[in-house]
């Protein structure tokens, strides 16, 4: 039998390599079922233990996930530490207030996974699953997390400039920022519901308390008292949702018409005609909020991810291999 012509052989090899790359880069819900059967159990133990001992871990992890994904995609680049030769994302000014507990959770989970399944589970997958599970632990919606992300090989603070919302931004700026990443106004409002848990530092809103008429007067006075010592103690903070700070629910939206929003951007959501209808919708219908939040989080979790050979499985989450 005559051998196939060289051109046919090249086509076959190309198709074979393309199929391999496609299967390598495809995400799935059971990505680690064969390569790391204990993945779910190890993650559950690490997450539960950390949240029980440090109840603010959930809110911090949700914020960490958001700060990793929105600027340049969910690739774990926020976890990389700076070196004398490179200022990493986590040391950008907007990320300096990220709490330590979520970083510690990722390190603990990664350490346990490396002992059980070396060089198999990505740091970006760990962060995505931890975020979903912690939201659910606090009463929020469950959503599917597809797995198989690879970790970024680099992290530069300069690469996220202008890609994360700031409390002082106008609503138009925030809408445009989300739109640049493919998220519409309703998705942005739904994701803002993450403020139903967690806290903000006094420095992020104290300057508005005497000038912003959208605050409930008694609430503004209470915030002034709570933050009176913040110039000497910059770590002072206040819960974003004063009604149910440790429960994932829709009270954040119910607070806004009452003047109980904490940040300037919170007030903007209720006072801007483009976003107000969604605030009112979610304030009335928690199930609708949960559905839309889950859908937006699932979309964010696969935003500009790295798969196949475009990334790596880091051995340590805080350093590239």
């Amino acid at each position: 039998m005559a051998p196939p012509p060289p051109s046919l052989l090249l086509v076959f090899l190309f198709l074979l390599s393309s199929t391999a790359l496609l299967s390598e880069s495809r995400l799935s819900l059971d990505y680690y079922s064969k390569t790391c059967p204990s993945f779910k159990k190890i993650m559950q133990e690490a997450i539960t233990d950390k949240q029980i001992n440090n109840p603010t871990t959930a809110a911090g992890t949700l914020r960490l996930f958001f700060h990793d994904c929105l600027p340049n995609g969910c690739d774990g680049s926020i976890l990389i530490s700076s070196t004398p030769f490179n200022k990493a994302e986590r040391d950008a000014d907007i990320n300096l207030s990220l709490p330590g507990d979520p970083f510690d959770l990722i390190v603990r989970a990664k350490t346990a996974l490396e002992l059980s399944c070396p060089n198999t589970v990505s740091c970006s997958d760990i962060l995505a699953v931890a975020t979903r599970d912690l939201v659910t632990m606090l009463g929020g919606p469950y959503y599917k997390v597809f797995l198989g992300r690879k970790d970024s090989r680099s992290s530069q603070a300069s690469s996220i400039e202008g890609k994360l919302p700031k409390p002082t931004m106008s609503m138009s700026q925030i809408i445009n920022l989300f739109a640049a990443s493919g998220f519409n106004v309703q998705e942005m409002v739904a994701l803002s519901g993450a403020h139903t848990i967690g806290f903000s530092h006094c420095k992020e809103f104290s300057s508005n308390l005497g000038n912003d008429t959208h605050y409930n007067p008694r609430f503004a006075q209470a915030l002034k008292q709570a933050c009176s010592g913040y110039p000497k103690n910059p770590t002072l903070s206040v819960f974003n949702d004063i009604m149910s700070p440790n429960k994932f629910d829709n009270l954040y939206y119910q607070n806004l018409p009452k003047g109980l929003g904490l940040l300037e951007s919170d007030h903007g959501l209720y006072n801007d005609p483009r976003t107000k209808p969604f605030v009112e919708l979610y304030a009335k219908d928690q199930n609708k909020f949960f559905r839309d939040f889950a859908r937006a989080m699932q979309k964010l979790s696969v935003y500009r991810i790295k798969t196949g050979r475009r990334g790596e499985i880091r051995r340590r989450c805080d350093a590239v291999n």
Side-chain angles (χ1 to χ4, degrees), residues 76 79-83 90 107 123 314-320:
L79 304 170
I80 296 175
S81 295
S82 296
T83 69
R90 67 191 290 175
V107 168
C123 302
R314 274 186 234 136
R315 286 185 286 275
R316 282 181 43 179
C317 290
D318 62 352
V320 295

Side-chain angles (χ1 to χ4, degrees), residues 131-192:
T131 302
R132 188 272 313 280
D133 288 358
L134 285 163
V135 165
T136 306
M137 279 181 71
L138 294 192
Y142 179 90
Y143 55 92
K144 293 177 180 177
V145 173
F146 289 86
L147 302 169
R149 297 165 191 75
K150 295 294 172 67
D151 298 323
S152 171
R153 294 188 177 97
S154 63
S155 176
Q156 284 91 32
S158 58
S159 72
I160 67 167
E161 184 61 38
K163 295 181 180 179
L164 283 167
K166 298 177 181 177
T168 53
M169 282 182 172
S170 69
M171 197 46 56
S172 289
Q173 287 176 309
I174 294 174
I175 288 171
N176 291 337
L177 186 150
F178 275 85
S181 299
F183 292 87
N184 62 33
V185 173
Q186 183 163 7
E187 289 168 331
M188 181 273 286
V189 178
L191 288 171
S192 298

Side-chain angles (χ1 to χ4, degrees), residues 236-284:
L236 279 179
S237 56
V238 177
F239 286 120
N240 290 325
D241 172 4
I242 59 167
M243 297 301 185
S244 56
N246 294 312
K247 184 180 179 186
F248 197 99
D249 54 26
N250 69 334
L251 286 190
Y252 164 72
Y253 299 106
Q254 294 181 23
N255 290 340
L256 299 184
K258 301 171 186 172
L260 300 178
L262 194 60
L263 305 173
E264 191 176 334
S265 53
D266 294 331
H267 297 298
L269 282 178
Y270 183 68
N271 294 303
D272 191 290
R274 293 166 293 183
T275 52
K276 183 176 181 177
F278 301 118
V279 171
E280 292 177 330
L281 173 64
Y282 296 148
K284 281 188 245 176

Side-chain angles (χ1 to χ4, degrees), residues 16-65:
L16 192 66
S17 63
S18 297
T19 304
L21 283 171
L22 187 65
S23 62
E24 186 182 6
S25 64
R26 191 178 293 138
L27 300 185
S28 68
L29 294 171
D30 59 351
Y31 190 82
Y32 298 112
S33 61
K34 293 180 181 176
T35 56
C36 190
S38 54
F39 170 70
K40 288 183 180 178
K41 182 174 181 289
I42 291 172
M43 286 295 299
Q44 191 174 39
E45 288 176 355
I47 291 165
T48 303
D49 181 64
K50 184 67 182 176
Q51 177 64 16
I52 287 172
N53 289 294
N54 302 87
T56 59
T57 299
T61 304
L62 180 54
R63 188 169 170 227
L64 181 65
F65 173 78

